Amino acid sequence: MRERVAGRGAVGCRYLGDDVVEGGSHIADAAWFGVELAKAGIDFLSISKGGKFEDAKQPKVGWASYPYTGQSGYECMPTIYSDARGPFSRNVPLAATIRSAVREAGCGTPIVTAGGICEFGQAEAILERGEADFIASARQTLADPDWFDKIRTGHGANVRRCEFTNYCEALDQQHKQVTCKLWDRDELDAPDVTLASDGKRRLVAPRWRR
């Protein structure tokens, strides 16, 4: 694989720190996999959780099976309406455990964590505690594609913060164009606005005007 990549990019692995299904892999397995992958020379390990088909609900007739409808799917994309732990930094302990195992094995492979990370202080604290080396964020980056740049340039107060209601995930489950409900708080009739196919939603996030 490295010969094929030929220095044009990094070779990493995104995998689950816990499958959250009976008979699946759990954190002890994931730590072992991480060490072996690190020893093999992989460039980074990105840790997620759940989102399996094995415990997904039976789909409607004519619909495809969707992996975020069972308990493992819930753990992959928990919402603000979840349990007392909430969605915030929910998967970080998995990344921290794998990072610790990799470091104990003498490898410095960077570990990426994700899951409910939406604020600078939250991300910085994870890095300062040594729980991960990189922060990834999907739903927050959908909500505000410019949020990293806003933080970097001192405009953190302007970040459009994800509310973790999984509005976007519900659209995906229905095979609709995925958008963020927060985008529609800005005017929809501006001349530069592209609408989704239903004509009711922004298809692209509002442009950040400094």
Side-chain angles (χ1 to χ4, degrees):
M1 183 178 290
R2 287 198 179 282
E3 291 177 2
R4 294 290 297 273
V5 173
R8 292 172 295 167
V11 179
C13 179
R14 168 82 161 179
Y15 74 108
L16 303 179
D18 188 345
D19 286 354
V20 200
V21 293
E22 185 177 354
S25 295
H26 301 292
I27 185 56
D29 307 297
W32 185 87
F33 294 143
V35 169
E36 294 303 307
L37 287 166
K39 288 180 177 178
I42 204 159
D43 291 323
F44 68 88
L45 298 169
S46 180
I47 313 304
S48 187
K49 182 181 183 181
K52 304 289 285 183
F53 284 95
E54 287 88 336
D55 66 342
K57 293 180 180 178
Q58 182 71 24
K60 297 178 182 178
V61 175
W63 287 47
S65 181
Y66 193 73
Y68 302 115
T69 54
Q71 182 61 30
S72 74
Y74 169 81
E75 287 294 336
C76 185
M77 294 186 69
T79 75
I80 194 65
Y81 309 116
S82 68
D83 53 31
R85 292 173 58 197
F88 307 109
S89 303
R90 195 177 180 99
N91 299 337
V92 172
L94 298 174
T97 298
I98 293 168
R99 186 179 188 275
S100 178
V102 168
R103 295 296 178 270
E104 288 177 5
C107 300
T109 309
I111 307 299
V112 184
T113 192
I117 300 171
C118 59
E119 295 180 343
F120 175 77
Q122 179 189 17
E124 189 70 12
I126 292 167
L127 299 177
E128 288 180 348
R129 291 192 297 266
E131 295 170 324
D133 303 289
F134 288 92
I135 302 296
S137 181
R139 287 175 287 178
Q140 172 56 39
T141 304
L142 177 69
D144 190 345
D146 299 306
W147 81 292
F148 289 111
D149 195 29
K150 288 176 180 177
I151 290 171
R152 187 183 300 113
T153 57
H155 296 84
N158 296 326
V159 170
R160 188 183 306 107
R161 185 178 175 279
C162 178
E163 295 181 352
F164 295 99
T165 62
N166 280 6
Y167 171 91
C168 53
E169 186 270 337
L171 290 169
D172 185 49
Q173 187 173 164
Q174 298 172 56
H175 306 290
K176 294 182 178 180
Q177 292 170 310
V178 175
T179 62
C180 177
K181 68 176 186 178
L182 301 181
W183 299 351
D184 298 332
R185 292 183 179 177
D186 286 21
E187 66 278 2
L188 294 178
D189 56 356
D192 61 342
V193 173
T194 301
L195 297 178
S197 57
D198 59 15
K200 300 177 180 178
R201 301 174 284 122
R202 282 177 174 264
L203 186 58
V204 181
R207 182 181 302 174
W208 178 35
R209 295 180 173 84
R210 304 191 189 191

